[in-house]
Amino acid sequence: MEVESSKSGNWKHSLVYLAFITLIIHLILHKHKLSGNDTVRVKRNPNLPLRFRYDGTFKILQVADMHYGNGIMSRCRDVLDEEFPYCSDLNTTHFLNTLILSENPDFIAFTGDNIFGPSTADAAESLLEAFGPAMESGLPWAAILGNHDQESTMNRAELMSLISLMDYSVSQTNPSAEGPTSSLKGSMMTDIDGFGNYNLRVYGAPGSHLANSSIFNLLFLDSGDRAVVQGVRTYGWIKESQLRWVRGISQRFQGQTSDTDQSADALPLTIPALGFFHIPIPEIRQLYYKKIVGQFQEAVACSSVNSGVLETLVSIGDVKAVFMGHDHTNDFCGNLDGIWFCYGGGIGYHGYGKAGWPRRARVILAELGKGDKAWMGVERIKTWKRLDDEKLSKIDEQVLWDHRPSR
């Protein structure tokens, strides 16, 4: 009797399982018909190339550590009860939409931990929700990965590939192979660590003699996620292959000036650049003892490996400022050997923060010099932060770099 009962139970379980599979297939096919997936959807591209405005400015909105989970189901962390009746990922989306409308940037830079893998049931779906405001704005945007993005259903290569295919994204999985050693023109570099290393050029203002010249560079680097060094777990770091690529980018533009006008007001200078990566370098710890603009509220969570990033950036001379994420309650800028390193300050409500300390984002403004008759090269780089409070407060405005500081 026990054997017959067991066989009967197994048969019933099999029937239920078969019915479940049939139902799933039916739902998938039904959804396919309703969603119109039989038609091919082409990626929407922004107006390119990236360029300065007619008024000689180029504005970047840095968005750090969204930590997006599952939308309305992902509750906020470290907020006061009286601040919000109910708080979720949608508060992050609302803040990002408000920033885009208020600041009207030319470009949006997402600096990692865009989604929080452990809270994400479907990485692709969460990425689409997280980047939704950027795609809906029609503005060009780019992203790099943090240490949490890959902790769900997609690895880092898959994540960057998907991000590069999203509407209005100018992100790249990795740089194109260039030079005499490249067998395929436009092929992707394979001898570089990580995913999400690329350079974006910004061109001069429309109608100016620099309209067809790149006068500003944006360098994006993958700082990795986690690693084990001598048996000890630590954070990732930027590898030598990536620094070698950065040096190559710099050498390519070495000697190239951002102005060809021979007037007295011309600004002959090496093309300035900004860097973007997620995990801070070890030297950021030194800023605890130096003058900074902003708040140093938590220990710097960096790798135990110092791969020479600062030394490389100082040696090439192009990079004037670097923008990072990772440490959500640090929002300061500090100077190391002539280069400013700035935290974005965490924007995401599902990521950790500090109760009573508003979420925030950083804005970067590059300004061209004005000649007698036309715009010249980049003259000044400024930054400030916006808070998610009632006034969308603007704080800590500062000049990061000025080609003519004595003016």
Side-chain angles (χ1 to χ4, degrees), residues 372-387:
D372 290 335
K373 299 179 181 179
W375 293 114
M376 300 292 119
V378 179
E379 180 178 274
R380 186 179 299 107
I381 302 170
K382 298 160 52 176
T383 187
W384 59 86
K385 290 169 297 211
R386 289 284 186 181
L387 308 185

Side-chain angles (χ1 to χ4, degrees), residues 50-53 57-61 103-108 139-141 365:
L50 300 175
R51 65 170 63 254
F52 281 77
R53 299 183 188 184
T57 63
F58 185 79
K59 184 186 286 188
I60 301 169
L61 172 63
E103 286 289 354
N104 188 26
D106 300 291
F107 177 76
I108 307 172
L139 296 169
W141 61 276
L365 182 70

Side-chain angles (χ1 to χ4, degrees), residues 52 96 106 152 188 195 212 228 234 298 302-303 322 367 370 383 401:
F52 281 77
L96 180 51
D106 300 291
S152 180
M188 191 182 301
F195 299 94
N212 296 320
V228 175
T234 186
E298 65 175 299
C302 60
S303 176
V322 171
E367 300 174 321
K370 183 69 172 177
T383 187
W401 178 76

